[in-house]
């Protein structure tokens, strides 16, 4: 069989599509050209040029006055070959001879023009004289254009506005307002994978299972199991919830709809519910697919909280529609919903039940091992020194989230660049941590010697009490250089606990009161410098008594509401109970304050020497405290783990060196 010859378009015409409205445009341009084509060939001139160069030299064949406005001049054919008439001798189109009119000019009035023409030809013989001819022409097409063009213009504007309102790009159109604002993310546009997510091993494992559901659902459904409808990512800000969702988009290789909870909220009634319906409709069409709703608490708050005002009707309608779409009569096979929030306590119970969000994945702040892995990810693109110890960096950043660690690495790079260094060293990272925690150093701040001395004793009080208490956080660094809003600061390495005992909380309160106790003991007066300490211990003491049930007098009672249904106007206890709580909190704080003063009295000389060293150096470290107080009696479990990690690292380095030597 002979192969049929296929006609192919040239490269420039590939993807060429004919549009019907192009014909209308061509016709319009054609008629517009006809209107002006005749006048285009006649060149403009004036009376002086006409009289001197054409009339007086007797080169004019005739003059035609049209509509008593314009005089059109026809040049004799035998003169058209001259240089000055060469531009008008031929027509613009076709290169054919132009027999006129060749020139034109505006006339004031017919009588004046006739008199001027007559006077200009006084010396001429009767055969040489030219009399003007008069014509009246009706420019029907021009008149039509006069009112058709504005009409067409307004029609085109109207069509453009209506198209913008009913469709097109963006979501601000009036008739497109009920459409979903979700962005369909292609796998080519997402470069984040699970390799870029560190320190979230358990969360990553659960998310990986969901991705596997979409890739091979038959493996699970053949045993009678159902694919989960959704997964809720819950955790503090900056822990990597959105990053995890991006990694899912990069790994799943399925359509991924990403949008925020606030995208459903609009001033018009019914818009949110309409957008939810449209979102799930699109997701079903492209199934298997993933929908990711970031900050779902914008629409998922518990219903009925403000029923009296009626202000939440629209948000509740949106939530109702979401609940229906996720677990209604309709089947959403192959559509999995991921959501992220850091306010899980305010979510509606119907939203987080099994069948809607089957899984709640907790994304907590990273522990020591997690921080180490996160640092390794963020250190890859940086030009760092060879002596950078990742264990040390992880040790210096307790309580930091993934976003905080990324900020530490970036800030260290900026500090090194400002100092014109070629690599980022250990000190740059320390300066970065100090700046993020305490703020920028205010070296120019004027502080009187008396105030500076009081600040030194305040910080020395904190350092001494925390060093001498078993459960207080061990000290890393003390400074009296003003940073941010604080005049001095102390850095601690808090132990990462899963449970906290009464003794541990009391030691922490006592340590926080060490600064004020030092002021009272050594100066006989107290200052406002302990504001942040007092705020912290007050909240801690009230939590001990009214939430954790750690008070013997109040007993095993907790007034904490995990559901978030309790409002702030009424208290779940009587006035008598409130007085008991206040009395118990005051007793706890005063007892620990007395304990802090006793510790400072016991080590009075060492506190003084520490304060003097602070005044001299302005910044002291853990090693300086060891010189004054000796080694700390207690070693936390975390410190034991860190020492073990350091030993293991040294062993691996030695083994690598020995293997290289043997080679």
């Amino acid at each position: 069989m002979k192969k049929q010859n296929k006609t192919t378009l040239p490269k420039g015409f590939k993807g060429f599509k004919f549009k019907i409205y192009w014909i209308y445009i061509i016709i319009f341009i054609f008629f517009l050209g006809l209107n002006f084509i005749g006048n285009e060939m006649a060149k403009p001139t004036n009376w002086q040029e006409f009289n001197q160069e054409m009339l007086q030299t007797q080169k004019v064949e005739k003059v035609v006055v049209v509509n008593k406005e314009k005089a059109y001049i026809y040049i004799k054919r035998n003169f058209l070959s001259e240089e000055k008439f060469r531009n008008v001798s031929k027509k613009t189109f076709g290169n054919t001879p132009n027999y006129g009119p060749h020139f034109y000019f505006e006339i004031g009035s017919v009588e004046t023009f006739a008199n001027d023409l007559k006077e200009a030809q006084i010396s001429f013989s009767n055969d040489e004289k030219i009399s003007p001819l008069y014509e009246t022409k009706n420019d029907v097409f021009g008149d039509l254009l006069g009112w058709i063009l504005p009409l067409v213009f307004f029609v085109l504007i109207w069509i453009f506005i209506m198209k913008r309102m009913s469709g097109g790009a963006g979501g601000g159109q009036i008739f497109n307002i009920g459409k979903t604002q979700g962005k369909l993310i292609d796998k080519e546009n997402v470069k984040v994978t699970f390799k870029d997510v560190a320190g979230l091993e358990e969360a990553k494992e659960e998310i990986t299972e969901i991705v596997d559901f979409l890739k091979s659902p038959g493996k699970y459904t053949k045993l009678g199991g159902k694919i989960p409808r959704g997964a809720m990512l819950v955790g503090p800000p900056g822990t990597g919830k959105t990053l995890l969702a991006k990694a899912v988009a990069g790994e799943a290789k399925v359509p991924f709809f990403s949008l925020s909870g606030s995208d459903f909220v609009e001033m018009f009634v019914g818009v949110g519910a309409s957008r939810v319906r449209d979102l799930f409709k699109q997701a079903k069409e492209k199934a298997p697919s993933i929908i990711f709703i970031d900050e779902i608490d914008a629409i998922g708050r518990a219903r009925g909280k403000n029923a009296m005002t009626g202000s939440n009707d629209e948000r509740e309608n949106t939530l109702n529609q979401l609940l229906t779409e996720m677990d209604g009569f309709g089947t959403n096979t192959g559509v999995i919903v991921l959501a992220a929030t850091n306010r899980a306590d305010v979510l509606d119970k119907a939203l987080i039940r099994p069948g809607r969000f089957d899984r709640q994945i907790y994304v907590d702040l990273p522990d020591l091992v997690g921080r180490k892995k996160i640092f390794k990810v963020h250190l890859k693109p940086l030009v760092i020194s060879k002596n950078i110890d990742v264990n040390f960096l992880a040790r210096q950043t307790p309580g930091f989230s993934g976003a905080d660690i990324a900020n530490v690495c970036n800030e260290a790079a900026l500090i090194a660049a400002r100092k014109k260094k070629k690599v980022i060293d250990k000190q740059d990272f320390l300066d970065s941590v100090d700046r993020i925690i305490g703020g920028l150093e205010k070296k120019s701040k004027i502080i009187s010697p008396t105030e500076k001395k009081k600040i030194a004793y305040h910080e020395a009080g904190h350092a001494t009490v925390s060093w001498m208490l078993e459960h207080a956080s061990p000290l890393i660094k003390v400074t009296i250089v003003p940073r941010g809003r604080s005049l001095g600061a102390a850095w601690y390495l808090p132990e990462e606990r899963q449970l906290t005992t009464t003794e541990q909380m009391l030691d922490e309160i006592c340590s926080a009161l060490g600064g004020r106790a030092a002021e009272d003991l050594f100066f006989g007066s107290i200052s406002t410098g302990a504001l942040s300490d007092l705020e912290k211990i007050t909240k801690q003491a009230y939590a001990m008594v009214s939430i954790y049930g750690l008070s013997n007098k109040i007993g095993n009672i907790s007034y904490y509401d995990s559901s978030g249904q309790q409002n702030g106007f009424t208290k779940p206890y009587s006035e008598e109970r409130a007085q008991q709580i206040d009395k118990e909190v005051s007793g706890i704080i005063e007892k620990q304050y007395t304990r802090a003063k006793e510790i400072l009295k016991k080590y009075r000389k060492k506190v003084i020497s520490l304060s003097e060293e602070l005044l001299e150096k302005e910044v002291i470290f853990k090693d300086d405290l060891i010189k004054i107080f000796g080694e700390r009696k207690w070693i936390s479990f975390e410190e034991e783990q860190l020492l073990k990690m350091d030993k293991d690292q040294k062993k691996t380095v030695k083994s690598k060196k020995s293997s290289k030597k043997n080679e």
Side-chain angles (χ1 to χ4, degrees), residues 160-408:
F160 175 76
I161 291 171
M162 293 301 292
K163 279 191 173 183
R164 291 287 296 171
M165 290 168 68
S166 60
Q173 294 81 11
I174 246 174
F175 297 126
N176 200 34
I177 201 164
K179 302 291 182 183
T180 179
Q181 308 297 296
K183 296 177 182 177
L184 181 60
I185 300 173
D186 299 323
K187 59 183 179 183
E188 293 82 10
N189 298 329
V190 182
K191 298 178 181 178
V192 180
T193 60
F194 285 143
K195 292 179 182 178
D196 302 310
V197 183
L200 305 172
E201 300 306 320
E202 292 80 10
K204 201 160 51 175
E205 188 178 337
E206 288 203 63
I207 287 288
T208 307
E209 287 181 10
I210 290 171
V211 173
D212 195 41
F213 286 145
L214 292 169
K215 286 183 176 179
S216 52
K219 185 169 68 175
Y220 302 93
T221 54
K222 70 181 181 182
L223 298 175
K226 293 180 180 178
I227 296 173
R229 294 288 179 92
M232 182 83 70
L233 299 170
V234 181
T239 49
K241 298 184 294 295
T242 307
L243 182 69
L244 203 58
K246 285 182 181 177
V248 172
E251 293 279 348
K253 296 179 181 178
V254 296
F256 189 91
F257 294 88
S258 175
L259 71 165
S260 171
S262 59
D263 290 334
F264 295 104
V265 182
E266 198 65 64
M267 66 179 287
F268 302 106
V269 177
V271 169
S274 176
R275 286 178 178 175
V276 170
R277 284 192 294 272
D278 189 62
L279 174 65
F280 277 85
K281 182 186 174 184
Q282 290 188 32
K284 287 174 198 173
E285 290 171 355
K286 296 183 181 290
S289 59
I290 296 173
I291 296 172
F292 174 61
I293 306 172
D294 202 4
E295 307 295 343
I296 197 171
D297 51 276
I299 59 166
R301 286 176 178 266
R303 292 165 290 180
K305 283 229 176 155
N306 296 325
M308 291 179 67
T309 60
S311 59
N312 290 331
D313 285 348
E314 175 58 15
R315 182 181 57 75
E316 289 184 6
N317 289 340
T318 307
L319 177 58
N320 291 336
Q321 187 63 43
L322 180 63
L323 297 174
T324 305
E325 290 289 343
M326 289 191 71
D327 191 25
F329 281 104
T331 55
N332 294 328
T333 309
V335 179
I336 289 179
V337 183
L338 292 180
T341 181
N342 48 31
R343 298 289 310 280
D345 56 318
V346 302
L347 294 177
D348 196 279
K349 289 182 179 179
L351 185 65
I352 56 178
R353 73 158 176 83
R356 290 191 174 116
F357 285 102
D358 301 273
R359 299 188 176 186
Q360 284 198 31
I361 303 169
Y362 290 95
V363 186
D364 292 326
L365 290 169
D367 57 4
L368 184 66
V369 179
R371 290 199 300 274
K372 186 180 175 181
K373 290 179 180 178
I374 294 168
F375 263 113
K376 284 182 177 179
V377 170
H378 292 294
L379 289 174
K380 280 181 184 178
L382 301 181
V383 183
I384 58 174
S385 171
K386 292 180 180 179
N387 62 352
I388 292 291
D389 184 10
V390 184
N391 289 344
F392 174 78
L393 295 176
R395 193 182 308 170
Q396 296 296 314
T397 51
F400 277 46
S401 65
D404 293 330
I405 292 170
N407 193 23
V408 166

Side-chain angles (χ1 to χ4, degrees), residues 457-613:
Y457 273 89
H458 183 102
E459 298 302 334
H462 283 306
T464 305
V465 176
S466 65
W467 196 261
M468 296 302 167
L469 293 175
E470 181 181 356
H471 303 294
S473 303
L475 195 83
I476 299 172
K477 175 184 174 182
V478 186
T479 178
I480 57 170
V481 178
R483 281 185 178 271
R485 295 175 65 183
S486 62
L487 298 172
W491 279 259
Y492 302 93
L493 183 64
E495 188 178 358
E496 294 183 11
R497 310 180 187 120
Q498 305 304 317
L499 297 170
T500 305
T501 63
T502 308
E503 291 77 17
Q504 289 169 341
M505 294 189 81
L506 291 174
D507 281 2
E508 288 174 4
I509 292 171
C510 186
S511 173
L513 288 166
R516 169 156 284 195
E519 290 181 25
D520 191 8
L521 191 63
F522 291 96
F523 295 96
S525 63
I526 55 176
S527 68
T528 58
L531 174 61
S532 59
D533 301 325
L534 296 176
E535 184 186 3
K536 174 189 166 186
I537 63 161
T538 304
K539 287 179 180 177
Q540 206 165 3
Y542 270 106
M544 284 179 66
V545 176
S546 63
I547 294 175
Y548 299 118
L550 299 178
S551 170
N552 294 327
K553 290 183 180 178
I554 303 300
N556 301 319
I557 294 174
S558 177
Y559 297 107
Y560 179 68
D561 181 29
S562 60
S563 64
Q565 300 292 328
Q566 185 181 308
N567 58 49
F569 297 105
T570 57
K571 294 178 181 178
Y573 45 79
S574 64
E575 285 296 323
E576 187 181 349
R577 176 64 78 181
Q579 289 176 9
Q580 288 178 350
I581 291 170
D582 291 342
K583 191 176 179 181
E584 183 66 9
V585 167
S586 298
I588 290 170
I589 293 171
E590 289 305 317
K591 191 175 179 181
Q592 296 308 312
Y593 184 65
T594 307
R595 186 186 174 197
K597 285 175 82 173
E598 288 173 358
I599 293 169
L600 293 173
K601 283 177 184 176
K602 188 178 179 181
Y603 300 97
R604 186 182 182 95
K605 290 181 180 179
K606 292 182 178 180
V607 175
I608 293 168
S609 61
L610 180 61
S611 303
E612 288 173 354
E613 195 162 352

Side-chain angles (χ1 to χ4, degrees), residues 592-639:
Q592 296 308 312
Y593 184 65
T594 307
R595 186 186 174 197
K597 285 175 82 173
E598 288 173 358
I599 293 169
L600 293 173
K601 283 177 184 176
K602 188 178 179 181
Y603 300 97
R604 186 182 182 95
K605 290 181 180 179
K606 292 182 178 180
V607 175
I608 293 168
S609 61
L610 180 61
S611 303
E612 288 173 354
E613 195 162 352
L614 257 175
L615 287 166
E616 185 184 344
K617 295 182 179 179
E618 290 190 334
V619 181
I620 59 171
F621 297 91
K622 185 180 178 180
D623 297 334
D624 299 308
L625 264 78
I626 293 170
K627 289 177 185 177
I628 297 170
F629 296 106
E631 286 285 347
R632 200 163 182 264
K633 297 177 183 179
W634 309 277
I635 299 174
S636 64
F637 175 74
E638 187 171 323
E639 285 182 301

Side-chain angles (χ1 to χ4, degrees), residues 110-122:
V110 176
E111 292 81 7
T112 306
F113 175 71
N115 292 331
D116 292 342
L117 189 65
K118 190 176 179 181
E119 288 178 5
Q121 300 179 96
I122 290 175

